[in-house]
Amino acid sequence: MARRGKRYDRLAAAFDKYHHYEPLEAVRMVKASAAAKFDETIETVMKLGIDPRRADQLVRGTVVLPHGTGKAIRICVFAVGDLATEAEEAGAEVVGGDELIASIASGGDVGFDVAIASPDMMPKVGRLGRILGPRGLMPNPKAGTITRDLARTVGEFKAGKIEYRNDRYGNVAAPIGKASFDETRLHENLISLVSEVLRVKPAASKGTYLKGLSIASTMGPGIRVDVTKVDRLSSVAS
C-alpha cells in the first residue's frame, strides 16, 4: 500500500474522515485543502447501488455543468465533407476521415479529450475500438457523441459538457471544476452532476441508489458528503 506524504496526512487530520458534511461545507473544506502549486481539479465520486455486471443497471450519460470544468477541452471529430467543415467552424481541434482513422490505428497521437463522429463514419471508426475504448474516447450514442448535429455537440462540450459512467465497482467519478472556482460555482456544478445521475437511475436498481458521495482535490484527501442533503438539493434544482 502506498504511503501518503506528510502534507496529505496534515490535510486529512484537519477534518473528521467519518463525518458526512453538508455539500457547501464540504466544498469549502476541499477548496481549503487544495494547496498545491497548480490549479487542482475537484472531483466527486458517487457510490451507487447498482450491479455493474448487469447491462440494465449501467449508468452512463452526459451533463452540461453550468460553470464548466475549467479545463481546456480538445475535441476530435470524425467526419468528412460539409460535416467536417461544420465541426472545424465550431471549434473542434482535430477533424478528419479515413486518413485520421488510419493515423490513429497506426499508433498516431491520441491528443484529445473527447471524440465525436457522424453516424456514417462509425463503421470505419469502429476499428479504433481497441485504442479509443480503454481511454473512454470511443464515440457512443448514450454519450451523445455519435451525431450529425456536430456544431451543437462540439459547442456543448466546449461549454462544459462532460461524460460520466460507472466503473466495474459501481462508482461514478467525474470532475466538477477547479480549485480556483469560487465555492458557489463548485457547489452548483456538484448539484447539477448529482441531479443528473439521480435522474438516470436504472429501473432495475433496487434499494438505496446513491449510497455514498465524496469530493476531493487532485492532491487532497476525500471529504464525505451527506447524501441526504445532496438528494434534497437535487430535487429542488430539478
Side-chain angles (χ1 to χ4, degrees):
M1 182 177 179
R3 279 185 56 81
R4 302 290 190 180
K6 291 182 180 179
R7 175 182 173 278
Y8 182 96
D9 291 338
R10 175 175 53 80
L11 292 172
F15 62 92
D16 183 350
K17 66 179 181 179
Y18 297 108
H19 183 72
H20 293 76
Y21 295 89
E22 294 196 9
L24 189 55
E25 184 180 9
V27 166
R28 289 175 182 148
M29 294 172 69
V30 81
K31 274 181 60 65
S33 72
K37 295 181 179 179
F38 62 94
D39 193 6
E40 297 180 57
T41 295
I42 308 300
E43 185 175 70
T44 182
V45 178
M46 289 171 271
K47 181 176 178 58
L48 303 181
I50 60 173
D51 183 348
R53 297 168 298 180
R54 295 183 53 180
D56 61 351
Q57 293 193 35
L58 300 183
V59 173
R60 181 176 186 179
T62 59
V63 59
V64 178
L65 299 180
H67 305 291
T69 64
K71 177 182 178 181
I73 302 296
R74 283 182 56 83
I75 297 178
C76 170
V77 175
F78 297 101
V80 295
D82 291 342
L83 289 177
T85 301
E86 177 183 330
E88 290 174 345
E89 292 176 348
E93 285 78 8
V94 182
V95 181
D98 293 346
E99 291 185 2
L100 175 59
I101 293 171
S103 174
I104 295 174
S106 62
D109 182 36
V110 185
F112 46 85
D113 305 293
V114 177
I116 303 168
S118 60
D120 58 296
M121 292 299 298
M122 281 310 297
K124 297 178 180 180
V125 176
R127 63 184 284 209
L128 301 178
R130 292 185 179 181
I131 299 173
L132 300 183
R135 293 177 169 85
L137 294 173
M138 193 65 183
N140 186 288
K142 290 185 178 180
T145 47
I146 300 177
T147 177
R148 289 186 61 84
D149 194 351
L150 296 176
R152 179 183 61 81
T153 304
V154 169
E156 287 178 344
F157 277 103
K158 287 290 185 181
K161 187 175 188 177
I162 62 168
E163 181 181 357
Y164 61 84
R165 67 171 75 183
N166 67 266
D167 62 18
R168 61 178 178 170
Y169 303 108
N171 301 316
V172 170
I176 58 169
K178 293 287 187 177
S180 58
F181 281 23
D182 62 46
E183 61 188 43
T184 298
R185 289 197 291 167
L186 285 172
H187 183 248
E188 290 178 355
N189 277 356
L190 172 64
I191 298 306
S192 293
L193 173 61
V194 175
S195 297
E196 174 61 17
V197 173
L198 290 174
R199 186 187 69 80
V200 299
K201 174 185 177 181
S205 172
K206 305 302 180 183
T208 303
Y209 177 55
L210 182 57
K211 289 188 170 183
L213 170 66
S214 65
I215 58 175
S217 62
T218 304
M219 304 296 291
I223 297 174
R224 297 186 182 189
V225 181
D226 186 339
V227 296
T228 63
K229 300 293 178 59
V230 175
D231 194 354
R232 190 176 306 122
L233 289 172
S234 298
S235 299
V236 173
S238 59

